[in-house]
Amino acid sequence: MKRTILILVLTFMALSAKAQFTDSSTGLLNMPSADMNQSGTFTITNNFLNKHTLPSRSWDYSTFGYGFGITFFSRLEVCYICTIWNSEWSPQYPKPDDYRFNILKNQDRHFSAKLLLLKEGEIWKWTPSIAVGVSDPVTGSGGDYVHGNVGETGNGYFNRYYAVATKHFYTPWGQVGGHLGYQYNKRLDWNRKGMIAAADWCPVWLQNRWFSPKFVLEYDANTANLGFLASIWDNRFEAMFCLQDFRWVSFGLRFKLRLKGTE
């Protein structure tokens, strides 16, 4: 009996690992999920991104990204994301400080949002959580962000729309999550459109308040990825490690702060 209670308690603790998403929002590794943070959760995320994670037209090198996010009413998440864009030398720039060695000088900026339409078990016990989201919906340059080209090859590098469902199951070996969805974009240089699917597992014997890992296997509509997400120090931090296509590495760290006065 005591062992059963301990397993249930530790399995419940695994829920604290809400995941890392390489575009700085909640999700899995490279794909979204319907998991959400608690209302009033503010996040700061920093990632190292291998070049295969990024649109090929503008990134033929690995780089860094960072983002800020906040969750409202446990239903809506809004994020502001920046991806470092190395500057290049050009003969039209005569000043030495404009040369190629000034890397990490520029950045692409975009917004993303996720709306939770249905919480898991909200209608019936067996119903999954369902969420819809958008990334980089309007963009541009020179201050014109409403009419910017988010089409095939213009700006709007991270443009996409998605719908995803998530369902968790509890076993004596830990919590198992299943995720299924569809995402769409018009990009020719970022082949992530079509069905997406994933499974994650929180081994019950590895869960504790200081380090609670969750192992993830996903298909992001382009590649199959393997990695883990981990809640650290009572979920104050989250860590992510992704082996994209089982060979290209991305990793990141997120700081989480629950704002006072929120439910």
Side-chain angles (χ1 to χ4, degrees):
M1 181 66 179
K2 291 182 178 180
R3 182 179 178 182
T4 302
I5 294 174
L6 178 61
I7 289 174
L8 292 175
V9 170
L10 292 177
T11 302
F12 177 76
M13 289 175 65
L15 286 169
S16 63
K18 291 294 185 182
Q20 179 97 31
F21 189 16
T22 48
D23 76 345
S24 297
S25 63
T26 54
L28 296 169
L29 303 173
N30 283 346
M31 65 165 275
S33 75
D35 288 324
M36 298 285 285
N37 284 316
Q38 291 179 297
S39 179
T41 301
F42 174 73
T43 61
I44 303 174
T45 306
N46 292 276
N47 288 321
F48 168 79
L49 305 171
N50 78 77
K51 66 180 182 180
H52 303 280
T53 305
L54 303 161
S56 59
R57 175 175 171 265
S58 295
W59 283 274
D60 59 354
Y61 48 84
S62 300
T63 189
F64 296 90
Y66 64 95
F68 308 90
I70 189 166
T71 304
F72 301 94
F73 313 114
S74 299
R75 295 276 187 175
L76 175 65
E77 178 187 71
V78 179
C79 296
Y80 174 69
I81 304 105
C82 297
T83 307
I84 302 301
W85 202 354
N86 289 354
S87 57
E88 300 285 344
W89 175 85
S90 173
Q92 64 179 329
Y93 298 130
K95 297 180 181 179
D97 59 352
D98 287 322
Y99 277 54
R100 184 185 177 93
F101 60 78
N102 268 336
I103 61 172
L104 309 183
K105 182 178 181 180
N106 301 320
Q107 57 188 2
D108 174 79
R109 298 171 291 273
H110 71 278
F111 288 93
S112 72
K114 180 166 71 171
L115 177 64
L116 184 63
L117 300 178
L118 182 67
K119 292 185 177 181
E120 190 169 345
E122 192 168 40
I123 299 179
W124 299 285
K125 288 185 178 181
W126 55 266
T127 54
S129 52
I130 299 175
V132 294
V134 60
S135 178
D136 212 354
V138 292
T139 188
S141 59
D144 184 6
Y145 289 93
V146 176
H147 303 290
N149 180 7
V150 295
E152 297 177 347
T153 58
N155 211 331
Y157 302 106
F158 299 95
N159 174 251
R160 67 173 154 189
Y161 308 87
Y162 65 83
V164 62
T166 293
K167 179 67 177 176
H168 296 99
F169 305 90
Y170 303 93
T171 75
W173 304 278
Q175 176 186 277
V176 176
H179 314 266
L180 183 65
Y182 183 85
Q183 65 182 14
Y184 170 77
N185 65 66
K186 297 179 180 179
R187 305 295 302 181
L188 295 179
D189 56 357
W190 203 44
N191 185 24
R192 286 195 195 163
K193 57 194 77 171
M195 296 298 299
I196 52 178
D200 62 66
W201 173 46
C202 304
V204 66
W205 53 87
L206 295 180
Q207 306 303 311
N208 60 73
R209 60 177 297 191
W210 300 110
F211 185 78
S212 298
K214 173 166 67 175
F215 299 96
V216 179
L217 177 63
E218 68 173 23
Y219 175 69
D220 64 9
N222 183 35
T223 58
N225 313 312
L226 179 66
F228 73 85
L229 308 148
S231 168
I232 302 172
W233 191 20
D234 285 334
N235 205 30
R236 290 181 174 90
F237 293 90
E238 289 177 347
M240 178 273 293
F241 177 86
C242 174
L243 198 59
Q244 184 177 351
D245 203 26
F246 301 101
R247 48 181 169 168
W248 302 308
V249 173
S250 293
F251 56 87
L253 183 67
R254 166 177 292 164
F255 170 70
K256 299 176 68 175
L257 174 65
R258 184 85 187 281
L259 302 179
K260 293 184 179 180
T262 58
E263 296 295 334

